[in-house]
Amino acid sequence: MARYVLRRILLALPALLGLVLLTFVLVRVVPADPAAMLAGDAATPAQIAEIRARYGLDQPLWQQAVTHVRQVLTGDLGSSIFSGRPVVEEIGFRLPATLELTFVALLLSVVLGVPLGLLAALDHNGPVDQIVRLLSVGGLAIAGFWLAIMLQLVFSMELDLLPLRGRMDVALGNPPRFSGLFLLDSLLAGRFDMAGNALKHLVLPAVTLCLPGLASIARFTRSGVLETLQKDFVLYARAAGYSPFRLATIYVLRNAVTVTVTQVGLLFGALISGAVAVEAIFDWPGLGTYAVQAILAADYKALLAVTLVVGVVYAVVNVLVDVVQALVDPRVAEQLK
Amino acid sequence: MRLFATLLAALMLFATPQAGAQQRPLVWGDTLPATLDMHAVFDVPSQFVLLNAYDGLYRYQGNDLVPWAAESHTVSADGLTWEFKLRPGIRFHDGSTMTAADVVYSFQRLLALKRAPAAAFTPVLTPENVTAVDERTVRFVLSQSYGPFLAAMPIVAILNPRVIAPHVKNNDWGAEWMAANDAGSGAYVVNPANYQARVSLDMARFPDHFMGWAHNPRAIDQVRSRPVMETSTRVLSLMRGELDSTDSYLPTDQVERVDRNPRTRVAQDQSMRVFLLRMNNRKAPFDNLDVRLCFAHAFNYEGFNNIILKGLVVRNAGPNPNNLWGNPAGMEPYKFDLALARQHCDRARAAGAPLGRDIEIHVQTELEQTVQAAQMFQADLRRVGVNLKIVPNTFAGIVTATAAANTTPDMWVHWVSAYFIDPENWVGQMYDSRFHGTWKASSWYSNAEVDSLLTRARTSVVQAERQELYAAATTIIFRESPDIWVYNTVNLRGLSRRVQGYSFSPVGSGGELRLMSLSE
Amino acid sequence: MRRLLRDPVATLGLLLVLFAVVVAAFAPWLAPYPEDAFESHLLQRLQPPSREFLFGTDYLGRDIFSRVILGTRNALAVAVSVVVASMLIGVPMGLVAGWRDNWVSDVLMRITDIFLAVPQLILALALGQLMSPGLTTAMAALSLTYWPFFTRTVYAETRRLRGALFVDALAGLGASPSRILLLHVLPNAAPAILVRATIGMGFTILTAAILGFLGVGAAPPSPDWGLAVAEARQHLPESWWFATFPGLAILLLVLGFNLLGDGLRDVADPRLRRSRR
């Protein structure tokens, strides 16, 4: 098992190195020149050139790439050109916010998606199945940014139930920083008022973000369950008089878990992408808003770092997913050998 | 399951509001600058930090320049030697006293870093020419006389070298530390522990500020700055009471709604921020005066200012804001007149101007007005047979493109804000060819006579003379129509009604917290 | 096909897609004010839905009904070009990588992994800056991030098929690998590709709308739906019609493609077919 895990990690490494290079090429070819922005309004072209030289922006692109890769390998992502602070520190603040949001959204999709998929499978081709399908496919079809604005208007403005923006009421301050996940940190600090408040702030963005995930998990659970229901051992059990519901929950669902776990890995990437628009609208200070700000300001150091971090998170999640899958179903590990 | 029970309990607990809360902090919803280092950044959002956490030698109050950390100044007859006398007993946030040496340090740091706020000074000032005459007197010797010198003084924050010194790394003047910390003397103290760039900035009142607090018995003690990215979220948050202010560019369509809300109001103040459509005068067809005049007459000023923006702006005839000195008397703004526009365009076509090609206009996507103006202009230009193509871009992208004439777009849309109140900020830096390659001068206009008038105005320190020179230059520029000047901004800031004492200045858009109080 | 039509939900999807295709084909004739693609009428801005303007007017006084109709072309054009471009990259790579287990296959799949790991929207945003933002850029960015899904699908199908009896037989008869891949494996993988393509259409329309919303998609005054929602957000809730109708249009078309894809998947997937007895 340990060997499998190791092999899985080693397989991810070249992909990450490739990612570093690819992002560099993409981001650095962006024509926006931070030097002109830094120098300000009344700067002369000579002053701009001087700043460009100071930040190494005048070197040939390949040389900048080599420097960049070397820095990244030593764990140094550089400083944001605009804020002047180490990018690692800024991402340290932003990443937990995004992780908290995506994790809760993922949880919602699983908690709602699996039962829906199960119900649909049990009523295969029946009315429940069709309704669930329509709903879940509809979830995949709604533009998150549009839904987000609608939810704000209904639940914050009209019904006055939930906050519009941010992670916590301003008056409450922030919980003591431990993991950066406000929900967890508040609970650890015993501040239940803060945890409740953080939860309230999470509702709208997480609901918006969870819909596509919910839809695909429901769909894959459905087909996983259907497939398992055809298996011989289930047919025997059925013949032995087990009710389909009991069968479904005990045997079938366990088998369907494998399918769901795989989906979680794939979904994670989609969730982080989706977070860009959702974070912007709910003013969630995560990586998505950071990326947008970096793009608007041509802060390529920050942009490179975000892309890289998201890539790494994605790779880690997928390694984890594979490992979990191998634990649930030893055949997976066999296959890889 | 236990976790769920805990969460449920937490929610219940939250449902009962906590009693005995003292004054709720002010929650400021305007944009934050990327860094707190006031020597590294100089843009509209940075003014909020500059005005509240720091002090300069002079400061703008309303449209006027008033002595601030300096109580007075003198200037030699040749305009080269300036001496500023500091007020006695100014305290930094660490309790130490501000001396002339601190001012010298601050200017040397500014000039060494050479970032945006230094740009106004580097052409005329070198670090060794800033000296302390005595404990409270600073002397500047300029390499050539510079009329706007005093007007630019509020740009420079006076920093406390004693708190920076322990954090200097590789000769960086403490730049990394300063980006997220406080070394000021201003009326409010930054709490670095809660600072997160562009997300949150918490400040507390500084009771020992040298201006005292007698003017404002109910001053605000705690300030939470929470910028909001999305305009719609920002406005809704204000109306719901999650924020006490928006930025000062509330969409005009929202003004009525915010004013109607019992909790909120809109402060309307004429600013000095000119909205204009640029033309690249170096590139055909805009090297042809008739084309430029055709375009100037094809913009529907009335429709844009009065219908789309609901009259919440003021028509501005030229590059300088109307409410600034240095404008020629009786300048009649260009009018929307498609028949006249067509005549000019026909004449230009006859002279061989390539009006058949697509003219690209770059807009700043995140700023809706630039997009609206371009779309409206596009529809009207079509009527005179010109095809305008709208290209979405960002300010950063456009600034880069304007570094050279051949990469500068045909047209682009933006504002020129008040960084200091002097015609140099507008007409001086926009149309003197010495600034070619900067975004302000990106119409690539060049006229030797104008250059000479503007240079003389820049180097003179006699107000009456400068006034005349700027007026003369503006007259010529206006006639040659290098750009399309549309309006001067009325700043629209949504405020919660509990905010009192809000007072506007074109520099900083009224974000000076010292003057505000909360009624509750 | 008959099996597909027996499925009411999938039929609904097919109808929605067909409807959109018809609307797109005849858009200039169906739209009551086709010139509102670019024309502005300031005096009638932000008017609520009425008999004259079924969906109301936008912030420049343009008829939203006409613009939603005209925008259908945009949406379909983006979807089709992105999916076709992704297929052109992804399908050959999947075929080659899936045919043999060797270093070529390894390299190709690692490259696929790299592109899968790049956050799609961030890549698109960065590319939007790289080339000037606009519809072409958005399409390029989307194709660049969507092809790996085709590679994955085709890879899996090819691996499954290469062990099949008929492939062995063909190889035994001396057929060249490229011949086997193109004439025999590809047609057998077609149903899986078709399903992926249909779902990709819906996905692309949605992502393009998000890009339009974030300002790196279609350029104004294009009647793009995502752009319209972006322009409308500052006018909510007073001018609710401004955001609602373009938003609904996105919803319906994406829903159509997804339902269709879902139905096709059930038809194409042999395992599920068996369960349909």
Side-chain angles (χ1 to χ4, degrees), chain B residues 149-165:
Chain B
F149 186 66
L150 190 64
M153 217 19 100
I155 294 172
V156 185
I158 309 301
L159 309 188
N160 181 352
R162 290 165 294 283
V163 298
I164 300 177

Side-chain angles (χ1 to χ4, degrees), chain B residues 230-232 236 251 253-254 257 260 300 303-304 307-310 362-363 365-366 368 371-372 375-376 378-380 382-383 389-394 397, chain C residues 38-43 45-46 59-60 62 67 129 132-134 212-222 230-238 242:
Chain B
E230 273 291 317
T231 310
S232 56
L236 292 179
D253 281 308
Q254 300 287 352
R257 178 167 160 230
R260 225 188 311 125
N300 187 348
F304 190 68
I307 299 176
I308 293 186
L309 301 181
K310 306 197 155 178
H362 286 232
V363 296
T365 322
E366 76 279 16
E368 197 188 30
V371 184
Q372 280 177 301
Q375 293 192 60
M376 190 196 78
Q378 180 185 49
D380 285 321
R382 189 181 289 269
R383 298 195 180 95
K389 185 175 167 232
I390 299 172
V391 181
N393 208 333
T394 59
Chain C
F38 45 81
E39 197 55 81
S40 56
H41 316 276
L42 300 183
L43 291 176
R45 66 193 295 266
L46 297 176
Y59 68 169
L60 290 173
R62 303 174 294 201
R67 289 177 64 80
Q129 295 301 305
S132 69
F213 179 80
L214 291 173
V216 285
S222 156
E231 290 172 336
R233 64 188 142 170
Q234 293 189 7
H235 300 275
L236 286 167
E238 281 81 8
F242 190 178

Side-chain angles (χ1 to χ4, degrees), chain C residues 70-141:
Chain C
L70 296 166
T72 317
R73 277 192 172 184
N74 243 0
L76 286 178
V78 172
V80 171
S81 23
V82 167
V83 167
V84 167
S86 311
M87 278 166 72
L88 287 179
I89 311 174
V91 171
M93 280 188 66
L95 284 175
V96 173
W99 180 240
R100 289 278 177 263
D101 284 322
N102 55 14
W103 65 270
V104 179
S105 156
D106 269 349
V107 169
L108 288 181
M109 290 319 285
R110 285 295 87 75
I111 294 178
T112 311
D113 282 349
I114 295 174
F115 275 87
L116 270 179
V118 179
Q120 197 155 29
L121 260 176
I122 295 177
L123 181 77
L125 286 171
L127 264 183
Q129 295 301 305
L130 170 75
M131 307 184 263
S132 69
L135 208 53
T136 345
T137 315
M139 291 198 291

